[in-house]
């Protein structure tokens, strides 16, 4: 069986030969209980329209408070959740929790706020994914037009080709598809023409070096203008400074997500952010 897996078997062998990583084992076994033990929670980071600084919505980001190791970064435990398949039940919990939470804010008087949820590659491979999303939308009575599903673009092209059908099925539910970390893969441009993409998020690494580098500014500018030509909205994430904000304003990026506005927030703090943001804004209804 190992031989049949072709090139993957090489990866398996080298991993087996590594010394046992105690932390990794703790994370693997801990993750199995994390959901049932209420150790997982979501934080939310605002997304703002760049032209009038109006809040458009937010991205849900997963956190895990391990009983002994403290809060673990998703960069560390999401890959483990993917390998073990635990991302499937966890992913359903994430979507349901995010939709329920947003539904609550809709009812509080902010009916146009959008919710963005990350989907992992492993979830996209799951045959039940489209049904799961449809069920959560139905159970939570959530308007699919206000749900953004973020898929990361850095996956292998074979995976992407395999997923085209799945992505079109998701689109049929009325949700929006967002290409996350855009620009990390080498075939980014061809995806944009083939996939039913509504939005793209410019990779943070381009943003981070926007003023330091002479190369990144033209890349960011042309990604944004190309997306615009294709009718795709653009979000710049990882914006930490006013300086970057004004560059992206010049480039006519649509939305901003970053520490310049807010770090990811616990739901109660997000609630305060929503209220205070709306109060601060002058009314511009006519
Ligand atoms: P992502 O989806 O690209 O999320 C953006 C990451 O950038 C988040 O890291 C966010 O906290 C961080 N960020 C936002 N603004 C700034 C900024 O101004 N400066 C800097 N330095 N960082 C900023 P986070 O929350 O650690 O998540 C990391 C990655 O883990 C995510 O990248 C996503 O790929 C994955 N992830 C997080 N939550 C979930 C989830 O619920 N499901 C899945 N499948 N993956 C998730
Ligand atoms: Mg994301
Ligand atoms: Mg990502
Ligand atoms: Mg991203």
């Amino acid at each position: 069986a190992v031989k049949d897996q072709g090139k993957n078997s090489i990866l398996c062998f080298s991993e087996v030969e590594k010394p046992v990583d105690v932390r990794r084992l703790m994370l693997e076994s801990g993750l199995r209980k994390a959901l049932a033990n209420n150790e997982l929670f979501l934080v939310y980071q605002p997304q703002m329209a760049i032209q009038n600084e109006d809040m458009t919505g937010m991205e849900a980001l997963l956190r895990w408070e391990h009983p002994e190791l403290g809060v673990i970064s998703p960069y560390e435990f999401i890959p483990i959740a993917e390998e073990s398949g635990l991302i499937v039940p966890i992913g359903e919990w994430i979507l349901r929790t995010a939709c329920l939470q947003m539904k609550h804010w809709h009812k509080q008087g902010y009916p146009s706020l959008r919710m963005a949820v990350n989907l992992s590659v492993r979830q996209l491979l799951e045959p039940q994914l489209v049904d799961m999303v449809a069920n959560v939308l139905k159970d939570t009575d959530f308007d699919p037009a206000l749900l953004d599903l973020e898929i990361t673009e850095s996956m292998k092209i074979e995976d992407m080709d395999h997923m085209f059908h799945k992505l079109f099925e998701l689109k049929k539910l009325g949700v929006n598809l967002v290409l996350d970390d855009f620009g990390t893969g080498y075939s980014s441009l061809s995806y944009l023409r083939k996939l039913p993409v509504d939005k793209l998020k410019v990779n943070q690494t381009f943003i981070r070096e926007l003023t330091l580098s002479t190369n990144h500014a033209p890349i960011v500018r042309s990604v944004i203008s190309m997306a615009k030509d294709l009718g795709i909205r653009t979000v710049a994430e990882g914006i930490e400074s006013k300086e970057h904000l004004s560059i992206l304003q010049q480039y006519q990026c649509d939305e901003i997500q970053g520490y310049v506005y807010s770090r990811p927030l616990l739901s109660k703090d997000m609630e305060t952010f929503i209220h205070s943001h709306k109060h601060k804004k002058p009314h511009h209804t006519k």
Side-chain angles (χ1 to χ4, degrees):
V2 173
K3 211 175 176 185
D4 292 339
Q5 287 166 3
K7 63 185 175 190
N8 289 335
S9 63
I10 296 162
L11 293 175
C12 291
F13 278 120
S14 60
E15 266 172 31
V16 168
E17 280 159 19
K18 267 185 213 156
V20 174
D21 182 333
V22 175
R23 181 177 167 92
R24 166 131 188 154
L25 284 179
M26 282 177 82
L27 294 181
E28 270 178 21
S29 65
L31 205 48
R32 284 174 208 289
K33 298 170 287 181
L35 194 54
N37 290 354
N38 292 316
E39 293 162 12
L40 298 178
F41 61 100
L42 295 180
V43 288
Y44 303 93
Q45 188 176 32
Q47 298 178 327
M48 317 290 280
I50 201 163
Q51 297 307 341
N52 58 6
E53 298 195 304
D54 193 25
M55 184 180 183
T56 53
M58 62 189 70
E59 179 178 10
L61 294 158
L62 185 61
R63 296 290 180 266
W64 176 19
E65 176 137 39
H66 188 282
E68 288 139 76
L69 302 171
V71 177
I72 320 276
S73 163
Y75 286 121
E76 187 175 8
F77 73 83
I78 295 275
I80 298 174
E82 290 198 308
E83 279 162 38
S84 59
L86 285 167
I87 194 67
V88 175
I90 291 173
E92 177 168 357
W93 176 85
I94 293 167
L95 185 64
R96 197 172 288 276
T97 305
C99 287
L100 276 174
Q101 177 61 76
M102 183 50 88
K103 195 71 193 176
H104 170 74
W105 287 324
H106 286 167
K107 286 177 184 157
Q108 282 198 342
Y110 308 100
S112 63
L113 284 178
R114 317 176 60 78
M115 180 58 84
V117 174
N118 293 282
L119 287 186
S120 79
V121 184
R122 179 67 176 71
Q123 280 176 283
L124 285 167
L125 294 170
E126 185 66 23
Q128 301 303 314
L129 176 75
V130 179
D131 286 343
M132 184 279 277
V133 174
N135 284 334
V136 170
L137 288 168
K138 186 166 138 275
D139 294 349
T140 58
D141 188 29
F142 198 90
D143 179 358
L146 295 176
L147 181 63
D148 291 347
L149 296 178
E150 298 194 0
I151 56 165
T152 189
E153 177 264 344
S154 57
M155 53 181 89
K156 290 180 299 172
I157 182 113
E158 309 97 84
D159 294 339
M160 281 310 255
D161 285 335
H162 178 77
M163 276 166 207
F164 280 5
H165 175 72
K166 190 68 61 77
L167 294 173
F168 278 97
E169 289 292 300
L170 278 174
K171 266 304 289 178
K172 279 195 213 152
L173 300 176
V175 301
N176 304 280
L177 294 184
V178 180
L179 272 190
D180 205 346
D181 307 327
F182 184 81
T184 41
Y186 44 85
S187 35
S188 316
L189 297 177
S190 63
Y191 292 153
L192 279 192
R193 284 184 293 106
K194 287 192 216 161
L195 290 170
V197 177
D198 300 286
K199 237 187 215 187
L200 66 82
K201 295 180 95 166
V202 182
N203 191 339
Q204 288 191 41
T205 54
F206 294 134
I207 306 290
R208 218 159 281 155
E209 291 162 58
L210 204 50
T211 48
L212 306 176
S213 151
T214 48
N215 299 329
H216 283 104
I219 292 175
V220 172
R221 194 182 55 222
S222 45
V223 163
I224 292 169
S225 77
M226 178 196 59
K228 210 175 272 298
D229 288 345
L230 293 167
I232 296 168
R233 289 179 66 78
T234 49
V235 185
E237 69 179 339
I239 306 298
E240 296 183 1
S241 69
K242 294 273 180 213
E243 194 185 359
H244 285 172
L245 191 60
S246 77
I247 294 172
L248 288 153
Q249 247 149 4
Q250 283 171 42
Y251 293 172
Q252 299 188 346
C253 183
D254 296 305
E255 286 165 54
I256 294 292
Q257 182 183 341
Y259 296 171
V260 70
Y261 287 115
S262 173
R263 289 180 176 258
L265 301 169
L266 292 169
S267 56
K268 66 172 167 44
D269 297 323
M270 175 51 94
E271 195 152 312
T272 309
F273 184 95
I274 294 170
H275 293 319
S276 66
H277 175 79
K278 292 290 174 186
H279 289 154
K280 254 190 274 165
K281 298 306 293 178
H283 285 284
H284 42 254
T285 42
K286 282 168 228 168

